[in-house]
Amino acid sequence: MSTPYPFTAVVGQTDLRLALLLNAVSPAVGGVLVRGEKGTAKSTAVRALSALLPQVDVVPGCRFSCVPGAPDPACPDGPHEPGPGAVRPARMVELPVGASEDRLVGALDIERALAEGVKAFEPGLLADAHRGILYVDEVNLLHDHLIDLLLDAAAMGASYVEREGVSVRHAARFLLVGTMNPEEGELRPQLLDRFGLTVEVAASREPAQRVEVVRRRLAYEDDPAGFATRWAGDEHEVRARVVAARALLPKVSLGDTALLQIAATCAGFEVDGMRADIVMARTATALAAWAGRTEVRKEDVRQAALLALPHRRRRNPFDAPGLDEDLLDRILDEFPDEEPDPDPDPDPEPGPEGPDGNGPDDSGPGDGGPDGGPGGTPPQESGPDAPASDAEAPQTPQGSEPQPSAQENGGAGPEQAPVRAAEPFRTKMLSVPGLGEGASGRRSRARTAHGRTTGAQRPRGHLTKLHLAATIQAAAPHQKARGRSGRGLVVRKDDLRQATREGREGNLVLFVVDASGSMAARQRMSAVKGAVLSLLLDAYQRRDKVGLITFRGAGAQLALPPTSSVDAAAARLEQLPTGGRTPLAAGLLTAHETLRIERLRDPSRRPLLVVVTDGRATSAGALGGDPRELSRRSARMLAAEGVASVVVDCESGPVRLGLAGVLAADLGGPAVSLDGLRADSLAGLVKNVRTAVTSQSSHTNRRAA
């Protein structure tokens, strides 16, 4: 087993370390969600925390970590005989993104349960994490139903497994920690609210801090054991402080003034529900215990608000996270502490450290990597072949460099500065025709693991969802041959039937946006961006992946590869300038190539193509040939592959050529004018993609006949 990086050696990241330690002091706080860019010590700090937790006494041989002398009466391994206990370190259990429900909560042996009436239960990760840490890296990529199960268990302190009338319950109290990169997609607000605290982390931009990060990381990689030994004293001090704070916690008094401060703060920031008040109260109490005090002060309430409220104020993915600290101070000043203590508080820092900076990287061997060292953003390459950063906008922001001339921009006038998007509006559901088998979502019909039961089939692997009626029907004709003599049903493995279910899937919504000179009218582009933002918001709510392609000048660009982050898509759209000729074919061919690659990466996720253009094609770019004919051939190629499409017609003025309608016909989808971009008309059109595709297919079949 490799030597973990010491928790106290993490440079900087004060809020992250404090939030983790507060949960170690009081698991009732409700866990921590760590949000931040890659390479900021998120995983390193979490994995190092387990070494600071006190050891736990367990019943020898109990798979559910029961406490000696007070075992869980409902423990599946019980009842336990009195006897001496065993001591082991607190565990840190990691939940993989691709884990199944059975791997998380455990599984029953359905065959033995039906045939023998025996509760043969195999524990899952929730049982392993009891009285320890459950860590979920990239929690935003975890399936929603697994997150629901995880958070329910964390809130109740127990896990329930039920299969067709057979149920098992066991204790599951753990410190829940999730990490995520917001660029890869957001959690739903309902799930964000279930995490007690949230911390935003970022790499330091101070050279001295980054130097210290690199120095410590290199020393650790050269001699992990020796490096850990040098920090052993600091680790012991923090571990002892956690134990002392746990012992002091029941004695901490949460007075009426502190409760008024908490209630006024939550009301002042208009957070929904009462969970924020409860989490703030528990966090403030833990902060007081961590500081060695028995009373909660205003500074505890303030720090608790900064950790517990920012993620509860986001109501849609375009809301910026954060908290107005000036407003927070004004609210708290209305309720001053009754008897302020003149003595300074002990330093609430989690532990000794060097210069402030960022912690070690969470990538590569031992959570480090060759891409720039621990905790800092990897150095940017220079030169013509340097790759672009994932978080970097492909388009140049206004004012960062001279704007190209008319010749550089395709001969259609100078590049126009980006314009702000119009206010987004609510849309109706978009859907893709047919029955898919993609990732769980809220858009198109699909065969899923969760949903309404539509039939039964023989299990193709491990049985997860028993169809009881079909199983009994399969076993009933063989009872006499199997020698049935009593009331029980004789069931064999071949009789078991898996329930087939139908629910909703998430799709890939790929936007192809015309950014040429013909689209440069500011009012028109503002309306176009507002419509795309509306569809992005709808995609966020329905758990889709989104991608953005722009075309102008001499070619097209994949501005945002398919991702679950609508935040990133909105940022790319906001920065989009216009100008140049219209290489429509290049945009369509880039869409075709993007969908081809995504089909290899995620073959079960079906796409919906949204082309935003006036239909003009004035440049073939490097392809050569007639631009209009090339664009029509590209559109027909997409239609031939069954890609569901919709064209948003942005043509305006008294004289209209109707080119977007021609493009829509070639794509086999509907078209809508820019003037019709309102909630009902646009959503109704996109919803009718299914009808248009069906009609196109029927027309093709009639011609073939």
Side-chain angles (χ1 to χ4, degrees):
M1 182 178 178
S2 61
T3 304
Y5 194 95
F7 186 86
T8 51
V10 175
V11 181
Q13 305 296 16
T14 303
D15 287 343
L16 168 60
R17 294 182 296 128
L18 180 60
L20 291 172
L21 288 170
L22 290 177
N23 274 270
V25 171
S26 175
V29 166
V32 185
L33 176 63
V34 187
R35 297 162 44 92
E37 59 195 27
K38 52 189 177 292
T40 48
K42 301 189 298 293
S43 299
T44 298
V46 174
R47 294 189 176 107
L49 179 65
S50 60
L52 301 181
L53 298 182
Q55 292 189 324
V56 294
D57 296 326
V58 297
V59 173
C62 177
R63 298 174 297 169
F64 302 89
S65 302
C66 282
V67 181
D72 182 2
C75 177
D77 283 356
H80 297 297
E81 297 295 331
V87 179
R88 63 162 177 79
R91 294 175 181 153
M92 198 212 72
V93 177
E94 190 163 348
L95 175 64
V97 171
S100 65
E101 180 180 338
D102 287 346
R103 184 71 185 99
L104 176 64
V105 302
L108 289 170
D109 188 331
I110 301 295
E111 185 176 2
R112 290 189 63 192
L114 288 175
E116 306 174 26
V118 176
K119 293 183 181 179
F121 181 69
E122 184 65 29
L125 295 176
L126 292 180
D128 293 341
H130 180 47
R131 304 175 68 193
I133 302 172
L134 181 60
Y135 171 48
V136 188
D137 194 14
E138 306 294 353
V139 65
N140 51 324
L141 303 182
L142 200 65
H143 286 298
D144 285 351
H145 75 281
L146 291 183
I147 298 177
D148 289 331
L149 289 170
L150 183 64
L151 296 175
D152 284 343
M156 296 185 296
S159 175
Y160 294 85
V161 183
E162 299 193 13
R163 295 289 189 275
E164 305 297 341
V166 180
S167 64
V168 173
R169 174 211 168 274
H170 65 83
R173 291 183 293 276
F174 47 82
L175 194 167
L176 175 63
V177 183
T179 57
M180 59 175 282
N181 184 345
E183 290 183 358
E184 297 173 344
E186 284 286 355
L187 284 171
R188 301 198 317 266
Q190 298 90 334
L191 298 178
L192 282 172
D193 183 55
R194 300 291 292 277
F195 281 93
L197 309 180
T198 296
V199 177
E200 297 279 343
V201 295
S204 172
R205 298 298 184 259
E206 292 294 329
Q209 296 172 352
R210 299 174 76 97
V211 165
E212 184 64 21
V213 170
V214 175
R215 181 182 291 116
R216 293 189 188 184
R217 189 68 202 190
L218 294 179
Y220 168 74
E221 292 178 352
D222 289 342
D223 182 11
F227 185 82
T229 299
R230 290 196 294 274
W231 288 89
D234 298 322
E235 294 280 289
H236 176 74
E237 289 179 12
V238 176
R239 188 182 302 110
R241 188 172 174 185
V242 170
V243 173
R246 281 189 173 187
L248 184 61
L249 186 66
K251 304 174 184 177
V252 175
S253 171
L254 184 66
D256 291 341
T257 299
L259 286 172
L260 283 172
Q261 291 169 345
I262 291 169
T265 300
C266 293
F269 283 101
E270 299 180 349
V271 296
D272 297 331
M274 294 297 299
R275 184 175 283 117
D277 303 64
I278 297 171
V279 170
M280 276 190 63
R282 290 171 174 167
T283 305
T285 303
L287 279 162
W290 177 250
R293 290 185 270 100
T294 57
E295 76 284 345
V296 173
R297 298 179 181 173
K298 183 171 71 174
E299 55 263 33
D300 300 324
V301 175
R302 187 182 192 278
Q303 183 65 56
L306 293 175
L307 294 173
L309 295 188
H311 62 295
R312 293 184 164 88
R313 300 189 65 246
R314 297 196 79 193
R315 288 174 170 80
N316 68 64
F318 308 133
D319 291 341
L323 210 63
D324 184 344
E325 295 192 34
D326 291 336
L327 174 59
L328 175 60
D329 289 333
R330 289 197 300 271
I331 293 173
L332 293 178
D333 287 343
E334 296 178 5
F335 302 93
D337 291 339
E338 295 178 0
E339 297 180 2
D341 189 342
D343 296 333
D345 293 336
D347 185 3
E349 278 287 312
E353 62 172 61
D356 285 341
N358 288 327
D361 194 8
D362 55 2
S363 62
D367 290 335
D371 57 353
T377 300
Q380 298 298 316
E381 298 183 30
S382 60
D385 298 327
S389 168
D390 289 342
E392 185 180 62
Q395 298 294 342
T396 304
Q398 179 185 5
S400 63
E401 65 180 38
Q403 295 183 352
S405 65
Q407 282 123 352
E408 292 171 329
N409 206 24
E415 178 182 287
Q416 302 295 317
V419 298
R420 295 187 63 84
E423 189 70 20
F425 48 79
R426 187 175 183 83
T427 67
K428 295 181 181 178
M429 186 179 67
L430 292 73
S431 63
V432 176
L435 187 65
E437 295 182 348
S440 178
R442 297 185 174 186
R443 185 171 299 283
S444 305
R445 294 174 55 236
R447 299 183 185 92
T448 61
H450 298 270
R452 63 185 182 89
T453 301
T454 58
Q457 63 182 14
R458 291 181 182 273
R460 299 176 182 176
H462 181 66
L463 180 67
T464 57
K465 300 291 183 182
L466 178 72
H467 195 296
L468 183 58
T471 298
I472 294 175
Q473 187 176 8
H478 308 290
Q479 296 305 295
K480 184 175 181 180
R482 294 172 182 173
R484 173 185 172 186
S485 58
R487 299 179 60 184
L489 190 67
V490 181
V491 179
R492 295 181 179 173
K493 187 173 183 179
D494 291 342
D495 301 326
L496 300 178
R497 294 295 182 268
Q498 175 85 20
T500 58
R501 302 189 174 191
E502 182 179 312
R504 294 277 175 181
E505 66 176 358
N507 298 111
L508 167 59
V509 183
L510 183 62
F511 295 94
V512 181
V513 180
D514 185 349
S516 65
S518 63
M519 299 284 291
R522 299 183 71 83
Q523 185 176 2
R524 187 195 320 170
M525 200 61 195
S526 177
V528 168
K529 288 185 176 182
V532 176
L533 281 178
S534 302
L535 293 174
L536 284 173
L537 180 57
D538 182 72
Y540 163 76
Q541 294 169 339
R542 301 194 186 281
R543 313 302 290 166
D544 293 314
K545 292 178 70 175
V546 296
L548 177 64
I549 293 171
T550 63
F551 59 94
R552 66 185 182 94
Q557 183 178 35
L558 180 59
L560 181 71
T563 175
S564 297
S565 175
V566 297
D567 277 339
R572 301 296 193 275
L573 186 70
E574 195 70 22
Q575 298 166 0
L576 177 65
T578 57
R581 292 189 176 274
T582 312
L584 176 58
L588 296 176
L589 290 174
T590 302
H592 180 271
E593 178 65 12
T594 301
L595 294 178
R596 184 189 69 81
I597 294 173
E598 283 302 304
R599 202 174 292 119
L600 296 175
R601 292 175 176 169
D602 192 356
S604 62
R605 190 180 291 268
R606 298 183 295 160
L608 174 65
L609 186 67
V610 180
V611 184
V612 185
T613 181
D614 56 11
R616 288 181 172 84
T618 61
S619 172
L623 301 172
D626 179 19
R628 291 185 60 182
E629 182 58 31
L630 188 60
S631 64
R632 296 196 68 178
R633 289 205 308 266
S634 302
R636 290 167 187 159
M637 180 172 60
L638 286 163
E641 295 186 359
V643 177
S645 306
V646 59
V647 176
V648 178
D649 183 2
C650 301
E651 189 176 29
S652 61
V655 179
R656 303 195 181 192
L657 304 178
L659 298 177
V662 175
L663 174 64
D666 289 333
L667 286 169
V672 61
S673 68
L674 187 61
D675 294 335
L677 290 182
R678 299 183 182 273
D680 293 338
S681 58
L682 176 64
L685 171 78
V686 180
K687 190 175 181 180
N688 287 333
V689 168
R690 177 175 184 174
T691 304
V693 172
T694 304
S695 300
Q696 177 75 7
S697 177
S698 301
H699 178 65
T700 303
N701 292 338
R702 286 197 300 270
R703 290 183 61 187

